[in-house]
Amino acid sequence: MATFPSAGDHHHLVAAVPKDILVDVLARVAFQSPADLVSAKLTCKALLEASGEDYIYRHVTIAEFPVISWKSDLSGVLFIDRCITSGNPEALFRRGLIEYLSTLEIDSGLRNLGSAARSGHPESVYIYGVLMLCQGQQEEGMALLRSLEGGSRWLEMVRYCRKSVRSVVMDMWVRNFTILAGPEQNRGRICSCRQEGFTVLPSPESMGRGRAGWASKEDAELDFYAINRCRSCFWNHEAAAFCSMLRFGRFWF
């Protein structure tokens, strides 16, 4: 007769696995679902002990958590705080934007966004670079933003970053009005390759038609600047477009 291992046998088998392997497994679980991480922690002592490692919280997904919780949810707040102290890039990105734009904790916000950007988090690289341009720190801002240009699909990355940043910003009350001025000289001569007409766009009729059908004005404008301006002009325009989004909710003028 076939015999099956008991629950106790399973616990002994898990306990025999090296802790670093358990941590890696739990990090992969957490990357898919925080709820599954909680379930795994409850299965045995070995997994419970391994689940406390920062590495796991650095990789856990927080997509299902609201950017700003309007309900009293202490457990959720503590969870996000733990993710931040563990260096979770998405949590740092969200907290940094909230602090910089809403709660006016400017220095802390920049630190959190900078930490997330240094980890390679694309949205943080994008927004931190944009903020540097808006603050007049052209060299640092350009270096960050130009790092997003690798590959032939870099414009798709810019669109993705725009969408991600907007989804976070639309959930908060923007109070940092100093950022609305945009990058220095964003409507005049901003580099040696062009003299005037930085904000001149083609007609809406010519912008609206894309290769795959009718494109949005926002996408058409992005394509236009990518094709017809140098990269310095492009990124300065992108910073100005971000400020436009803060004012009007859209990435075009």
Side-chain angles (χ1 to χ4, degrees):
M1 178 184 296
T3 59
F4 299 93
S6 65
D9 292 331
H10 282 302
H11 293 172
H12 288 305
L13 289 172
V14 173
V17 177
K19 185 177 180 180
D20 58 338
I21 295 179
L22 293 180
V23 170
D24 185 64
V25 169
L26 288 175
R28 293 171 185 269
V29 171
F31 182 76
Q32 298 297 325
S33 169
D36 290 344
L37 173 64
V38 173
S39 298
K41 290 168 57 176
L42 299 176
T43 59
C44 68
K45 182 179 179 181
L47 289 177
L48 177 61
E49 292 176 350
S51 68
E53 296 294 318
D54 286 343
Y55 181 81
I56 296 171
Y57 288 89
R58 194 176 305 131
H59 291 84
V60 67
T61 179
I62 62 169
E64 61 189 62
F65 288 83
V67 174
I68 297 176
S69 178
W70 300 106
K71 298 180 180 179
S72 178
D73 181 11
L74 181 59
S75 61
V77 171
L78 293 175
F79 178 81
I80 296 298
D81 285 344
R82 178 61 192 279
C83 291
I84 290 171
T85 58
S86 300
N88 184 292
E90 180 67 20
L92 288 167
F93 163 68
R94 289 186 180 188
R95 180 65 61 84
L97 271 182
I98 292 171
E99 290 175 337
Y100 189 89
L101 294 176
S102 185
T103 62
L104 301 183
E105 300 167 87
I106 307 299
D107 293 339
S108 178
L110 286 177
R111 281 196 303 271
N112 284 327
L113 289 171
S115 295
R118 286 188 291 273
S119 74
H121 188 253
E123 301 96 306
S124 298
V125 173
Y126 169 87
I127 193 58
Y128 192 68
V130 163
L131 293 179
M132 291 299 99
L133 294 188
C134 290
Q135 294 186 166
Q137 300 180 42
Q138 290 279 332
E139 186 175 346
E140 183 177 358
M142 283 295 176
L144 282 164
L145 293 168
R146 293 296 297 267
S147 71
L148 295 174
E149 295 176 13
S152 60
R153 304 176 67 180
W154 67 276
L155 276 180
E156 291 184 24
M157 175 62 74
V158 177
R159 290 189 181 94
Y160 167 77
C161 291
R162 279 184 166 195
K163 181 179 178 180
S164 297
V165 169
R166 177 162 47 195
S167 68
V168 175
V169 171
M170 289 297 112
D171 282 343
M172 70 177 69
W173 186 267
V174 176
R175 298 173 59 220
N176 186 352
F177 300 111
T178 61
I179 198 67
L180 299 183
E184 294 182 354
Q185 298 178 323
N186 67 73
R187 295 185 182 277
R189 184 174 180 176
I190 60 171
C191 76
S192 60
C193 75
R194 300 282 175 174
Q195 292 187 354
E196 297 295 340
F198 170 53
T199 57
V200 174
L201 296 174
S203 67
E205 292 77 12
S206 63
M207 289 176 62
R209 189 69 177 175
R211 289 189 299 272
W214 290 101
S216 69
K217 182 176 180 180
E218 184 176 300
D219 285 344
E221 184 193 36
L222 186 68
D223 290 339
F224 173 80
Y225 274 98
I227 295 171
N228 296 282
R229 295 291 188 262
C230 77
R231 293 299 166 81
S232 293
C233 292
F234 173 86
W235 288 117
N236 272 279
H237 174 268
E238 191 64 18
F242 169 73
C243 296
S244 172
M245 187 274 294
L246 291 182
R247 292 192 297 270
F248 309 118
R250 59 180 185 266
F251 266 101
W252 46 272
F253 298 99

